[in-house]
Amino acid sequence: MINVIYCLAFEHDIRLVMLAAFICIAGSLTYVQLLRQCLHSTGLARVSWMGISAAALCTTVWCTHFISMLSFQAHVPVVLDPVLTLVSLIAPMFGFFIATAIVIYGRTPLTAMIGNLTLGCSMAALHYVGMLAYRVDGIVDWDMSYVAASVILSCLFTAASGWAFNRFSNLRFNLPSVALYALGVISLHFTGMSAMEITSLSISDTPMDAETFMALSIATAFAGMLVIALGAATFFLDQDQKKAGYEKLLRMAMTDTLTGLANRNAYMDDLNGRIEKSERKGSRLAVIGIDMDRFKDINDSHGHKAGDAALIALANSFKAQCHSGELVARLGGDEFAATKEYSTEEDLEDFLSRLQSALNTRLQVNETTLHLSGSIGVACYPDDGKDSDTLRNNADLAMYRAKIHASNTICFYTASMDEEARQKRELAASLAQALENNELELYYQLQASVKSSKISGLEALLRWTHPKLGPISPSVFIPIAEESGLIIRLGEWVLRRACEDAAGWDTQDKVAVNMSALQLTQVELPRIVHQTLLETGLPPHRLEIELTETAILEDRDRSLHVLRQIKALGVKVALDDFGTGYSSLEILRSFPFDKIKLDRFFMSEIEVSRESRALVRSVLSLGKSLSIPVLAEGVESAAQLSILKEEGCDEIQGFLLGRPERMDELIRLRSIGADMDRLINTADPLTESGNLKRIYSG
Ligand code: C2E
Ligand code: CA
Ligand code: CA
């Protein structure tokens, strides 16, 4: 040890030793960083990185060795063998490459050890081949114990640095590993130099002078630094590119590709951040849910391209209306959301009115101008919720409320909305229970032909008596069943029960069954209908499915496909509630309906309003031109019936004939197959079953 220190301090030019040490540390640092790069890449890229690492380390060790060797003051003339000097640079490169490969591909402690020992041996080989090229004018004696010590030291340090490489892999710059690699190189060189004993003979070769040695050292250092810097530059360039790539990916993952607005992930991240900030600052935050009106219609009637264009137009007008610190995101479909920190109510109102005017965008699609509109719901932190989920949920509740009122409305969340939602959830659960326990009932309402006065069919209407709340109207529980998806099972139950009942009647009257939009989207609906008919023995022509335009337009193509299959079974299809919704001629043309049911809304007006009567007339003539019979719903008075007779209506249904009744009640009263005029003469439209009871019990 003392020998090594003596050799280092007194037999070397200390300035050059410092230069060599600097190169050694810089090179080791580069090698460690490049080694990481090898680990994080694959295939050809990994092999290339291994090549660059091996070249950088080899250059580092060689330059350290060469400069240190030149700094050695041998006090005798020295010459360098050019061939061996070159061999000492090139040959170990392979050793370094193989050693690096063992470390990278092995990935076990044992292979890491073997790889690093190979590295240590390659360094030693480089040093001693280099020393062979160093020819002095004298006798060189080698102390083999120092030679052995130098090899062991270099191997020990490289093995330790390999361990440190894994142990401190979490550090941005793994300095422990770098220091150990550098120590390996330095200890090898100076212990190796201590092994050399020179006795001067002074023969004729021209010795190299100190200036030449210095110049050569600086040139070597320069060339070495160049290679190391190149390695480092490659590493940083790659890191930079990876960072840019990562940032791009992150941006893509956070942006909605269609509109360029923030997407759901970005919105929720941002919202959570803002909630934390508001909590710290004690400030207020508005969470806003935005939903476009009639987006489905735009898609259905103008195509998906127009739908996309509408979303983009809306997004652009949101962007134009937003100030800094305000965020609008697209969460999916036609669902948007916004957030705004605010200090005064005016602040929030200003933002909301900007959002509202952004919503009122016009869009030119081919020849038509579409007027976009939407509904806005607002929930505020901290009053309406303290976490993002609650706030989003409550903003949505408010938005749904806004949607019910009219378009372009802003609704603020109130606690009663929560209560309503809770009640709905409870009702949905009890309804599912009622279905399970067979507590639901079917009532039937008569339909009659105006011309023949004969009963032509019966519409099945679902009835539910809640154990605590009493009878609940289907207008209340059907939408709840639709929302919860229960309508599928409920609808199947209704269909089966109606078919079973009708199959047991003495007459050949049709039974009409209502179907919801969700049922219509089921591809297996035709199979279910077919199977129910087979199992109940009802002839297909006695079943009539009733659906509304809205149900068909939910998913127009699929609905029409399902309907065609059902019609192919021989089942009749009626268009329900006609005249209230879109009343689109297109729908009537695209499917051969067996009946149009004129909505009962017209009956309440027909006696007093000329307009209503004109509308009824036009629907009736439309039916005639398409050869589709029209049934008027909600006929309550003889006056209404006589107008309908005048206008040439085909069938009627309503309290005038009777209210919906239980099947056993209808059978008991023998009202099925009864004559319309007899029913009308004694009907009492004020009670649900009084009219029929009086006819048959009297
Ligand atoms: P809808 O299909 O239009 O059924 C006719 C509704 O009008 C029934 O109400 C019936 O009681 C009522 N009505 C009949 N005649 C008159 C009248 O002269 N005047 C007045 N003011 N009303 C009359 P209900 O039974 O309350 O059913 C309401 C709606 O619930 C139905 O309208 C239908 O859309 C839905 N619904 C009922 N049962 C089912 C079902 O089994 N499945 C499905 N999907 N929906 C059903
Ligand atoms: Ca109906
Ligand atoms: Ca109806």
Side-chain angles (χ1 to χ4, degrees):
M1 185 71 182
I2 293 171
N3 254 354
V4 178
I5 295 169
Y6 179 85
C7 163
L8 179 66
F10 299 106
E11 294 180 351
H12 285 80
D13 178 339
I14 203 73
R15 293 166 304 170
L16 289 181
V17 169
M18 299 301 269
L19 182 63
F22 172 73
I23 288 183
C24 184
I25 292 167
S28 302
L29 182 65
T30 305
Y31 177 66
V32 169
Q33 294 303 96
L34 288 170
L35 211 55
R36 280 185 172 175
Q37 204 72 1
C38 297
L39 276 182
H40 297 142
S41 52
T42 50
L44 209 62
R46 175 178 270 190
V47 177
S48 309
W49 282 115
M50 274 163 31
I52 297 171
S53 316
L57 185 62
C58 190
T59 312
T60 305
V61 180
W62 190 82
C63 287
T64 311
H65 154 82
F66 197 74
I67 296 166
S68 309
M69 197 178 68
L70 293 178
S71 75
F72 182 63
Q73 286 149 356
H75 306 295
V76 285
V78 175
V79 286
L80 291 171
D81 183 313
V83 178
L84 279 175
T85 306
L86 264 178
V87 170
S88 74
L89 172 65
I90 296 163
M93 191 92 79
F94 297 102
F96 287 119
F97 184 80
I98 290 164
T100 309
I102 297 172
V103 170
I104 296 301
Y105 287 109
R107 298 303 293 133
T108 65
L110 182 68
T111 50
M113 178 73 79
I114 296 171
N116 280 296
L117 289 179
T118 314
L119 209 65
C121 292
S122 306
M123 282 181 191
L126 185 153
H127 175 81
Y128 286 105
V129 174
M131 289 316 293
L132 283 181
Y134 188 82
R135 299 265 165 82
V136 292
D137 200 359
I139 297 166
V140 180
D141 277 323
W142 290 95
D143 182 338
M144 289 320 279
S145 57
Y146 276 100
V147 172
S150 72
V151 178
I152 291 170
L153 272 177
S154 100
C155 286
L156 274 181
F157 277 120
T158 48
S161 58
W163 168 82
F165 179 77
N166 288 323
R167 173 69 184 74
F168 303 104
S169 57
N170 54 328
L171 297 179
R172 184 157 152 66
F173 293 105
N174 191 339
L175 294 181
S177 181
V178 171
L180 287 163
Y181 274 122
L183 274 174
V185 179
I186 291 166
S187 65
L188 164 75
H189 183 85
F190 292 102
T191 316
M193 289 307 276
S194 311
M196 202 166 59
E197 189 78 43
I198 301 170
T199 317
S200 175
L201 285 177
S202 194
I203 42 168
S204 62
D205 262 329
T206 330
M208 270 203 255
D209 57 69
E211 275 90 66
T212 314
F213 271 35
M214 181 59 91
L216 204 56
S217 302
I218 291 171
T220 309
F222 187 74
M225 279 314 291
L226 211 64
V227 175
I228 293 166
L230 264 175
T234 323
F235 166 78
F236 285 119
L237 273 174
D238 189 72
Q239 288 283 308
D240 209 47
Q241 227 174 20
K242 275 201 180 123
K243 198 171 155 226
Y246 175 74
E247 276 165 6
K248 194 174 163 203
L249 257 171
L250 196 72
R251 245 195 333 274
M252 269 163 65
M254 291 303 209
T255 319
D256 172 54
T257 35
L258 180 70
T259 60
L261 290 176
N263 65 10
R264 184 181 289 271
N265 287 342
Y267 180 77
M268 290 313 278
D269 275 2
D270 176 84
L271 180 56
N272 285 321
R274 283 180 199 239
I275 290 173
E276 265 174 37
K277 199 169 141 206
S278 300
E279 201 176 348
R280 274 198 315 274
K281 284 171 46 186
S283 59
R284 284 185 291 173
L285 182 71
V287 177
I288 298 150
I290 307 165
D291 199 74
M292 227 173 123
D293 294 332
R294 297 180 302 277
F295 178 63
K296 256 198 100 42
D297 297 354
I298 297 176
N299 259 337
D300 289 340
S301 28
H302 302 278
H304 284 279
K305 262 198 177 152
D308 284 355
L311 291 172
I312 293 167
L314 203 57
N316 287 341
S317 67
F318 280 139
K319 283 179 204 163
Q321 290 286 356
C322 271
H323 298 166
S324 81
E326 299 167 347
L327 179 77
V328 177
R330 178 175 170 232
L331 305 186
D334 61 337
E335 193 191 347
F336 294 83
T339 30
K340 157 107 187 150
E341 280 161 68
Y342 66 100
S343 42
T344 62
E345 296 300 325
E346 287 76 41
D347 252 9
L348 178 58
E349 269 165 33
D350 168 60
F351 181 53
L352 291 174
S353 72
R354 274 185 283 126
L355 284 182
Q356 205 170 26
S357 62
L359 261 173
N360 291 319
T361 306
R362 281 176 193 200
L363 178 71
Q364 192 69 30
V365 175
N366 302 327
E367 251 81 276
T368 20
T369 309
L370 298 178
H371 295 263
L372 307 181
S373 64
S375 315
I376 296 176
V378 191
C380 298
Y381 173 90
D383 297 344
D384 304 335
K386 296 220 167 17
D387 60 88
S388 56
D389 284 343
T390 313
L391 285 164
R392 282 269 319 119
N393 209 34
N394 291 346
D396 275 353
L397 278 179
M399 192 266 293
Y400 289 130
R401 173 60 61 89
K403 235 180 174 35
I404 293 168
H405 286 325
S407 53
N408 288 328
T409 334
I410 299 174
C411 245
F412 283 80
Y413 167 81
T414 59
S416 67
M417 289 178 192
D418 239 3
E419 178 56 22
E420 243 170 65
R422 192 187 57 77
Q423 279 179 3
K424 265 193 184 176
R425 275 198 302 275
E426 271 182 19
L427 267 188
S430 327
L431 185 58
Q433 195 67 42
L435 180 65
E436 204 69 36
N437 301 344
N438 214 8
E439 287 165 9
L440 298 170
E441 278 183 288
L442 271 195
Y443 273 42
Y444 291 91
Q445 191 178 31
L446 300 166
Q447 301 172 334
S449 154
V450 174
K451 231 185 245 154
S452 70
S453 295
K454 292 276 176 254
I455 297 301
S456 54
L458 294 98
E459 179 177 1
L461 293 159
L462 193 54
R463 292 290 178 267
W464 175 34
T465 308
H466 189 280
K468 283 195 196 117
L469 305 172
I472 297 180
S473 162
S475 327
V476 173
F477 71 77
I478 293 285
I480 291 175
E482 282 171 338
E483 257 173 58
S484 66
L486 185 68
I487 193 72
I488 301 279
R489 281 199 290 140
L490 207 62
E492 278 177 34
W493 182 88
V494 171
L495 179 71
R496 176 164 295 270
R497 173 55 59 88
C499 290
E500 273 169 6
D501 284 350
W505 299 339
D506 295 336
T507 63
Q508 291 300 304
D509 293 336
K510 270 181 296 192
V511 65
V513 174
N514 292 286
M515 292 252 164
S516 288
L518 205 64
Q519 288 175 275
L520 215 56
T521 54
Q522 272 183 293
V523 266
E524 61 263 46
L525 186 65
R527 186 190 56 76
I528 293 169
V529 172
H530 185 54
Q531 200 171 332
T532 311
L533 288 171
L534 286 178
E535 283 168 16
T536 55
L538 184 75
H541 69 268
R542 287 189 55 207
L543 175 64
E544 189 163 70
I545 304 286
E546 287 191 7
L547 355 106
T548 61
E549 272 174 297
T550 344
I552 296 167
L553 287 174
E554 282 273 295
D555 191 342
R556 192 177 172 281
D557 294 340
R558 197 197 300 208
S559 302
L560 290 180
H561 177 67
V562 167
L563 278 186
R564 281 196 189 98
Q565 285 175 287
I566 291 177
K567 200 165 157 77
L569 298 171
V571 173
K572 305 268 182 271
V573 181
L575 187 58
D576 205 357
D577 300 347
F578 191 77
T580 48
Y582 307 90
S583 310
S584 94
L585 211 70
E586 213 266 310
I587 279 287
L588 277 174
R589 284 223 183 91
S590 57
F591 188 80
F593 288 99
D594 297 287
K595 190 184 278 179
I596 296 171
K597 293 188 78 179
L598 185 63
D599 194 80
R600 65 173 184 268
F601 161 80
F602 291 99
M603 288 310 112
S604 51
E605 303 267 309
I606 197 171
E607 286 169 273
V608 284
S609 153
R610 279 164 160 267
E611 216 174 298
S612 278
R613 191 166 172 165
L615 266 168
V616 170
R617 188 176 299 147
S618 65
V619 173
L620 288 170
S621 66
L622 180 67
K624 288 227 159 45
S625 69
L626 293 167
S627 308
I628 307 174
V630 176
L631 178 146
E633 290 188 291
V635 182
E636 292 181 356
S637 69
Q640 289 167 350
L641 176 61
S642 75
I643 294 173
L644 289 169
K645 263 186 187 162
E646 264 174 47
E647 299 295 345
C649 182
D650 303 277
E651 286 174 60
I652 61 157
Q653 177 181 351
F655 294 168
L656 185 66
L657 296 177
R659 291 184 175 245
E661 284 293 342
R662 277 200 188 91
M663 198 60 235
D664 54 3
E665 194 70 9
L666 288 172
I667 291 173
R668 195 176 68 80
L669 302 173
R670 286 175 281 123
S671 54
I672 300 175
D675 186 71
M676 175 170 80
D677 299 324
R678 271 179 67 204
L679 290 172
I680 293 170
N681 286 337
T682 37
D684 176 2
L686 298 175
T687 59
E688 180 110 301
S689 60
N691 50 341
L692 291 166
K693 268 186 197 141
R694 250 186 294 134
I695 299 166
Y696 291 101
S697 56

